[in-house]
Amino acid sequence: MALPSMRVGDVEVHGLSDGILKTSLDLVLGMERAAADKLVGGTEDGSLYIPVNNFFIRRGGKIVLIDAGAGNTMQPTLGKLPGNLRAAGVDPASVAHIVMTHLHPDHANGLVDDSGKPHYPNAEIVVHQTEAEFWMRADVANDEDRVKGNRARTKINLKPYLDRIRRVRDGEEYLGFTPVLAPGHTPGHTCWLLAASGGGFLAFGDVVHFSAIQISHPDAAVTYDLDRNLAIASRKRILDMAATERFAIAGAHVNTPGFGHVVRKGSSFAFEPAG
């Protein structure tokens, strides 16, 4: 099976799909529906599908996976990652590390199967300390229901991995990756920067959720953002950094396979798919 891939210096990044996620323009904040509809190419009722992309590299003889998909917990069009790994000749048991951009369901529920057993029995989970602390701590009275719900699910997702969770801090390089905290969508949402000879590669998770909208209109937020204003500020900062440094980009919800570059377009940005 030939995999979509992007070479950055001496590193080859491979793309794999977990499937597609049905969502709605009702989730977009800060933009009129008609404008959002036009940007995504039109919808009948505001509903559309966005990709759920995952990525892996081989480094030092080990396989490093970026995010784990949704598993079978959300929609029947998701949960394809383990099967797609096998089809690509990668046994999930051979995955040594899973680098998490954040712990939302479509990125973390795929860590375990329907019975709560690990899809990746030998993998270490790598996550920013801020993200781990927020989702693994006990609820308090004023927490939103959506926060409480994801905390409960996080306990299930991480239970088989509790003795092999590596929490990293800002600026702490690990596996060749450096975490770049981009909070707002979640408190510890993290972009992962991989330095390579002749360039850099940035996995930017949910910096954009609706890529056709939020790259060119970074002030548009989504209801999933726990802190809307902070998410907008993080998005602008990351897009500016990616364009300035000419980083190769892998986006979780950018048109499959999610590879390309962010470029400046007037006072905003555009995405150029890798060709």
Side-chain angles (χ1 to χ4, degrees):
M1 175 182 175
L3 292 178
S5 62
M6 186 177 194
R7 180 164 288 280
V8 185
D10 58 347
V11 176
E12 189 167 18
V13 185
H14 301 282
L16 282 172
S17 175
D18 189 57
I20 52 176
L21 172 67
K22 187 176 183 180
T23 185
S24 172
L25 294 181
D26 291 341
L27 303 176
V28 178
L29 304 173
M31 177 176 285
E32 294 294 329
R33 166 65 74 82
D37 198 87
K38 184 177 180 180
L39 286 169
V40 301
T43 67
E44 290 187 5
D45 59 359
S47 297
L48 70 160
Y49 285 94
I50 60 173
V52 178
N53 301 319
N54 296 263
F55 310 94
F56 76 91
I57 66 169
R58 290 183 174 93
R59 200 162 214 199
K62 295 181 178 181
I63 292 176
V64 182
L65 182 65
I66 300 173
D67 286 336
N72 296 324
T73 61
M74 296 180 67
Q75 297 174 8
T77 52
L78 294 167
K80 314 300 183 185
L81 180 59
N84 285 337
L85 275 168
R86 293 186 182 95
V90 178
D91 183 348
S94 70
V95 174
H97 308 277
I98 305 175
V99 176
M100 305 298 301
T101 61
H102 61 302
L103 295 175
H104 266 169
D106 54 326
H107 298 257
N109 285 12
L111 288 169
V112 296
D113 64 17
D114 295 343
S115 63
K117 294 181 179 178
H119 276 303
Y120 308 96
N122 299 306
E124 173 189 66
I125 305 301
V126 183
V127 61
H128 196 285
Q129 180 165 333
T130 300
E131 185 75 353
E133 287 180 351
F134 182 80
W135 294 114
M136 296 177 73
R137 74 189 186 201
D139 292 330
V140 295
N142 62 345
D143 282 334
E144 298 178 67
D145 287 344
R146 60 177 175 166
V147 169
K148 293 178 180 178
N150 200 56
R151 281 212 184 104
R153 180 65 209 194
T154 297
K155 290 180 181 178
I156 296 171
N157 293 341
L158 296 183
K159 184 177 180 180
Y161 302 94
L162 288 177
D163 61 344
R164 43 204 164 95
I165 297 177
R166 174 64 181 259
R167 305 184 186 203
V168 297
R169 299 175 182 271
D170 287 352
E172 177 188 352
E173 183 179 320
Y174 187 59
L175 305 172
F177 286 95
T178 300
V180 180
L181 192 63
H185 186 62
T186 65
H189 180 275
T190 307
C191 301
W192 292 94
L193 177 61
L194 180 66
S197 61
F201 160 78
L202 188 71
F204 73 0
D206 280 10
V207 164
V208 296
H209 194 83
F210 293 95
S211 62
I213 296 171
Q214 292 177 293
I215 293 177
S216 59
H217 295 76
D219 283 319
V222 295
T223 57
Y224 297 130
D225 296 333
L226 291 184
D227 185 327
R228 173 185 177 183
N229 291 332
L230 187 56
I232 290 170
S234 289
R235 178 162 42 259
K236 290 179 175 179
R237 174 172 55 86
I238 295 298
L239 292 175
D240 180 74
M241 179 178 69
T244 299
E245 301 296 334
R246 190 63 181 170
F247 290 141
I249 293 296
H253 300 302
V254 177
N255 285 346
T256 300
F259 296 127
H261 294 86
V262 173
V263 297
R264 299 189 191 283
K265 187 174 182 180
S267 61
S268 190
F269 304 94
F271 187 78
E272 290 185 348

